Amino acid sequence: MTSSSFPKSAVLCAKPLVPAMPAGISRRSLLGAAAASGVALAAGGFAVLGSSNAFAASVAADDFLRLSEFVTGGSPLSAALATRYLAALTKSDASFAAAAQALHQHVASQKISHVDDLLAAPDLDPALRATATQIVSAWYLGVVGEDADAVLISYANALMYRPTAGILDIPTYGSGPDSWGEKPVVPASPNQKSPQA
């Protein structure tokens, strides 16, 4: 079909597929800005571009990692996972930033050496206790949030599997061939007829 076979009104009314660029913006400057954004995100994301997150501004991911290690009992934790937990906790709870900052400052100012000492204090603010519980829950379960809002951060690295590491496999689809064993025989109830009858 040639262009001469289209009605003249269709040709006049047709809109271009690609909208014109606004005046002052060239393709080159748009691509340059996109490349700069990509480099900024790769080089540290929020730290390079700036963040409106109050907790990220006041307490670095390293501080959250140390706070997490403190409230979970002192075992070394993954810095990458700490960054993911921090982002998820902050996103799921608008008050988490201030609460975590308050807990961090309380532990530092009181020079508390172990989480047991923190939790044993009779005058511990319930909000600080709740924040510690929130952090511990996230690390042990590997999940932030509840029900439909739950976000999986880590399954295999959830702390609930540490006590049995090297002894039991982390449950997934089984440990391999024949790992499930035989299906148990279900005895017939007195009200049911036997299959042989």
Side-chain angles (χ1 to χ4, degrees):
M1 200 177 246
T2 63
S3 62
S4 60
S5 63
F6 284 111
K8 201 171 213 178
S9 60
V11 175
L12 292 175
C13 295
K15 293 184 179 178
L17 295 175
V18 179
M21 291 281 238
I25 298 178
S26 69
R27 180 175 181 257
R28 182 170 291 175
S29 64
L30 184 63
L31 290 174
S37 298
V39 169
L41 287 172
F46 296 114
V48 174
L49 296 177
S51 172
S52 60
N53 181 337
F55 184 60
S58 59
V59 177
D62 290 342
D63 291 334
F64 178 73
L65 174 62
R66 286 192 295 277
L67 179 62
S68 296
E69 288 174 343
F70 174 79
V71 297
T72 58
S75 299
L77 300 174
S78 162
L81 283 178
T83 302
R84 292 179 63 199
Y85 281 117
L86 173 59
L89 286 163
T90 303
K91 184 177 179 182
S92 73
D93 181 2
S95 64
F96 179 77
Q101 175 63 17
L103 178 62
H104 178 60
Q105 289 175 345
H106 178 77
V107 169
S109 67
Q110 298 297 314
K111 296 183 174 69
I112 302 169
S113 61
H114 195 272
V115 67
D116 291 340
D117 298 332
L118 171 73
L119 298 176
D123 59 342
L124 180 64
D125 183 355
L128 295 178
R129 186 180 302 275
T131 302
T133 302
Q134 193 176 12
I135 295 169
V136 170
S137 174
W139 278 98
Y140 269 83
L141 298 177
V143 174
V144 171
E146 295 180 14
D147 301 327
D149 296 328
V151 177
L152 177 66
I153 303 299
S154 177
Y155 178 75
N157 293 314
L159 294 185
M160 68 177 155
Y161 297 120
R162 271 198 182 172
T164 58
I167 300 167
L168 297 176
D169 291 336
I170 295 172
T172 58
Y173 291 105
S175 300
D178 298 325
S179 65
W180 292 102
E182 294 296 320
K183 182 178 179 180
V185 177
V186 179
S189 69
N191 297 336
Q192 290 180 332
K193 291 184 179 179
S194 171
Q196 290 112 6

